[in-house]
Amino acid sequence: MVSEHSDAQGGETAALALKILVAGGFGVGKTTLVGAVSEIRPLRTEELLSEAGQSVDDTDGVAQKTTTTVAMDFGRITIRSGLSLYLFGTPGQDRFWFLWDELSQGALGAVVLADTRRLEDCFPAVDYFEHRRIPFVVAVNCFAGARQHRAPDVSRALDLDEGTPVVLCDARDRDSGKEVLIRLVEYAGRMHTARLLDSVG
């Protein structure tokens, strides 16, 4: 998406806004990441966890979690002058995945948040983006007290395509989250350029 705005000298400059998805399993930190990096007050669609959802929401390892995203989170961050990212946090539970197709329309790429204590929870997101050829990075949210793993080990455990970036992060920290987003934009840019060259080659 490209929009025009006037600069201080009265000329027109192009402002580029890119759509990024933040995905991953239940309780992995998607809402936290969007809230930490967003320069606007993030839009959240959270509801309290209920007894009715206990049979379908696996809270092992995230027992302290009391709310869940039921539609999406939304935030915005300016990476540099003229480049902004619109962040769409996806719901983590299977029953809300019908929203993913709508949210992924027009997305430059995605961040798949991973928790090494529940690594299998991010397999569906990895599969989703691989099958749709949407560039993504895996961001390992380093929770306090969790065993630390090296990025290559996580890549092998998830059987990622060669070259798919894996970065360690703290979803609560703005600078850490921003670094993840910069890595994604750089990677997605390389992927889109390579595909464009392939199509005209």
Side-chain angles (χ1 to χ4, degrees), residues 148-167:
Q148 299 298 307
H149 296 270
R150 298 183 316 118
D153 297 333
V154 174
S155 182
R156 280 193 296 274
L158 293 175
D159 194 25
L160 298 176
D161 290 340
E162 186 177 354
T164 302
V166 176
V167 293

Side-chain angles (χ1 to χ4, degrees), residues 16-107:
L16 184 61
L18 304 174
K19 181 179 184 181
I20 302 295
L21 299 187
V22 180
F26 177 64
V28 77
K30 300 179 295 294
T31 298
T32 300
L33 177 65
V34 172
V37 301
S38 180
E39 61 200 17
I40 62 172
R41 182 178 178 183
L43 168 68
R44 293 180 172 148
T45 57
E46 290 196 305
E47 295 292 340
L48 290 171
L49 291 173
S50 65
E51 289 185 18
Q54 287 180 350
S55 62
V56 291
D57 293 333
D58 180 8
T59 57
D60 284 347
V62 287
Q64 75 283 5
K65 187 171 174 61
T66 59
T67 61
T68 186
T69 299
V70 296
M72 67 173 184
D73 300 311
F74 174 77
R76 186 190 73 214
I77 179 174
T78 301
I79 296 296
R80 59 172 169 74
S81 178
L83 176 60
S84 297
L85 304 183
Y86 289 164
L87 309 175
F88 292 81
T90 65
Q93 300 98 309
D94 299 10
R95 66 185 186 277
F96 295 124
W97 282 353
F98 66 91
L99 295 169
W100 284 37
D101 287 336
E102 289 294 326
L103 290 175
S104 65
Q105 291 294 318

Side-chain angles (χ1 to χ4, degrees), residues 128-146:
Y128 182 91
F129 297 122
E130 283 184 343
H131 286 130
R132 287 159 181 80
R133 300 186 74 218
I134 297 173
F136 68 94
V137 300
V138 173
V140 179
N141 194 5
C142 298
F143 287 88

